[in-house]
Amino acid sequence: MMHLDSDSVAARIHAQNIAPGRTDAQAPRPGGSAYLGGFRAPALETVRVALVGLGERSSVQLEQLKLIPHAEVVGLCDLRLDALQQAAAICVADSLQLFCGEEGYERMLTELKPDVVIISTSWETHAPMAIAAMEHGAHALVEVPLGTTLEELWRVVDTAERTQKHCMMLENCCYGRDELMFLNMVRRGLLGELLHAEAAYIHDLRHQMQSEADWRAAHFAARNGNLYPTHGLGPVAQYMSIARGEDMFDRLVSFSSPAVGRAAYAEEHLEAEHPLNGMNFRCGDINTTLIKTRKGRTIVVQWDETSPRPYNRKNLIQGTAGTLAGFPTRIAGAGVNDGSEWSLDAESLYAQHEHPLRKRLGAIAEQSDSHRDGMNYIVLARAIDGLHRGEPLDQNVYEGALWSAVSPLSEKSVHEGGAPQLFPDFTRGDWKNTAPLGIVE
């Protein structure tokens, strides 16, 4: 398993994200590779699952995998023996194998040969581990983000196309109750022609600085931009069918506020000798990024894990006939009113427009997942079901790469005083012939 100290993480990420990125949208696809939009892998009667990185998220995943049909956990991998033992106690499976230490991940892939690997490690290891999984014949399900640099996002895409393996970023917020309902309403045409969206991840996580496992600190010290864009961006990109036949990200500009909140928190709450006290945090407390699509639509994406603000993903989608927004759930226009004020009758919206997937899985999802209304269960259940049935997954590798690319592009824009940055086309133009995500029954 990859293990890097914070200084090397900071140096690598800073150097790669500020250097010119690869933006050759129409570079020829390497020989022997094939486009994966709508890709169907051979069906698996039983999906043999291995997990790497056994933190808080993995303990929840293990409980949920026990409830998902056709899933069998066969391998666990972590640097820490105590984490392995705690996770193994959740599984209680005779076929389970444990892999520990620096070389544990490579041994697990080689010896166990799982069907799919769930990767829940620190950000800078996501892309290398996904690439290794696919090279060893496994599909990869990767916690957000899919990668931290444009170079490694291209390597992930190229590896997936060459190996013909799924590489899906586990963007759980696409499966929130409101997000699924909004997708259903957009597909029904209730908002008219889509014009604008607002997305965010605003979540005060300064308390994580008190944990010995705060590996994010290296990123905040090395980088300055939107480091965590996909929770808010993924759902609105799906509403707009970005990279799926209808539209595509074109360019962005990005600005960050001063970086003051983390240093102030460390000084107030951590011991004077704590390694985070005195650290030079480069990353602005709040970043605001504006995306322009090829159809001329606009998307505002904000990120703030440092300020004393209530949790918010915004989740706003606006069209010629109405607007939907989250936090709280509300609607304007769209036949509900004249659009001059918000209607806050969320229960009426759920009764009329609940997504059929939520109707089918909502009860078990909420029982198995206290985190944000069951979305973690549904994202795993959908991915496992797709592998079992041999059907396309709800998010393809290009979407994961595109949504994650906001981070390095925003960093470069901030570094250049807000200069526009062009998005690479990871599909090499094939997005135009890719079907939008439908309403899964």
Side-chain angles (χ1 to χ4, degrees), residues 383-395:
I384 296 298
D385 188 61
L387 295 174
H388 165 66
R389 296 176 181 271
E391 294 180 349
L393 304 189
D394 295 344
Q395 300 165 34

Side-chain angles (χ1 to χ4, degrees), residues 128-319:
M129 286 186 167
I131 290 168
M134 291 184 286
E135 295 279 13
H136 283 80
H139 303 292
L141 302 178
V142 188
E143 287 293 342
V144 302
L146 190 58
T148 59
T149 71
L150 293 181
E151 179 185 357
E152 65 185 16
L153 290 170
W154 272 109
R155 289 203 305 269
V156 169
V157 169
D158 289 346
T159 303
E161 291 187 338
R162 175 170 48 80
T163 61
Q164 292 291 283
K165 293 296 178 183
H166 286 294
C167 184
M168 173 178 160
M169 186 173 69
L170 292 171
E171 185 38 82
N172 56 349
C173 291
C174 290
Y175 299 88
R177 188 180 188 185
D178 277 10
E179 284 83 354
L180 285 173
M181 180 175 68
F182 287 10
L183 179 66
N184 196 26
M185 296 175 72
V186 167
R187 292 294 185 265
R188 291 177 175 179
L190 297 178
L191 299 190
E193 182 177 348
L194 300 183
L195 303 170
H196 173 75
E198 296 176 16
Y201 186 67
I202 296 171
H203 191 182
D204 185 359
L205 294 176
R206 289 172 296 171
H207 63 275
Q208 292 183 343
M209 297 175 68
Q210 301 186 49
S211 168
E212 294 181 2
D214 183 25
W215 46 263
R216 295 190 187 203
H219 292 264
F220 296 132
R223 308 164 63 187
N224 187 11
N226 187 327
L227 306 194
Y228 207 62
T230 71
H231 280 341
L233 181 60
V236 302
Q238 288 188 336
Y239 308 154
M240 291 183 170
S241 295
I242 299 295
R244 282 180 174 259
E246 186 174 339
D247 203 356
M248 186 59 143
F249 293 161
D250 183 60
R251 65 192 64 206
L252 64 71
V253 296
S254 187
F255 299 90
S256 290
S257 76
V260 293
R262 289 189 165 267
Y265 184 90
E267 182 177 5
E268 180 178 356
H269 295 278
L270 304 181
E271 300 83 0
E273 62 276 11
H274 194 284
L276 296 187
N277 245 322
M279 177 175 281
N280 180 25
F281 292 104
R282 299 182 63 254
C283 198
D285 290 3
I286 181 168
N287 174 273
T288 301
T289 296
L290 176 62
I291 298 173
K292 189 78 167 176
T293 75
R294 295 193 186 182
K295 290 187 71 172
R297 297 157 164 171
T298 51
I299 306 173
V300 175
V301 190
Q302 287 190 315
W303 172 68
D304 183 353
E305 294 181 21
T306 307
S307 305
R309 290 180 61 179
Y311 183 93
N312 197 333
R313 297 197 302 273
K314 293 198 173 179
N315 191 33
L316 183 147
I317 183 68
Q318 177 179 334

Side-chain angles (χ1 to χ4, degrees), residues 85-129:
Q85 293 170 337
Q86 292 172 14
I90 297 174
C91 294
V92 192
D94 294 337
S95 59
L96 184 68
Q97 296 186 44
L98 307 182
F99 298 85
C100 189
E102 294 286 350
E103 308 302 323
Y105 186 57
E106 186 75 20
R107 288 194 299 107
M108 183 176 74
L109 295 175
T110 302
E111 298 174 14
L112 195 57
K113 300 189 184 304
D115 296 318
V116 62
V117 179
I118 297 176
I119 298 168
S120 303
T121 52
S122 55
W123 296 342
E124 71 279 353
T125 64
H126 287 184
M129 286 186 167

Side-chain angles (χ1 to χ4, degrees), residues 57-87:
R57 177 57 57 87
S58 294
S59 62
V60 174
Q61 290 171 334
L62 287 169
E63 293 286 1
Q64 292 165 348
L65 285 165
K66 292 193 292 187
L67 303 175
I68 296 174
H70 310 291
E72 179 188 3
V73 177
V74 296
L76 300 174
C77 180
D78 199 274
L79 290 170
R80 301 161 300 152
L81 181 60
D82 61 331
L84 278 169
Q85 293 170 337
Q86 292 172 14

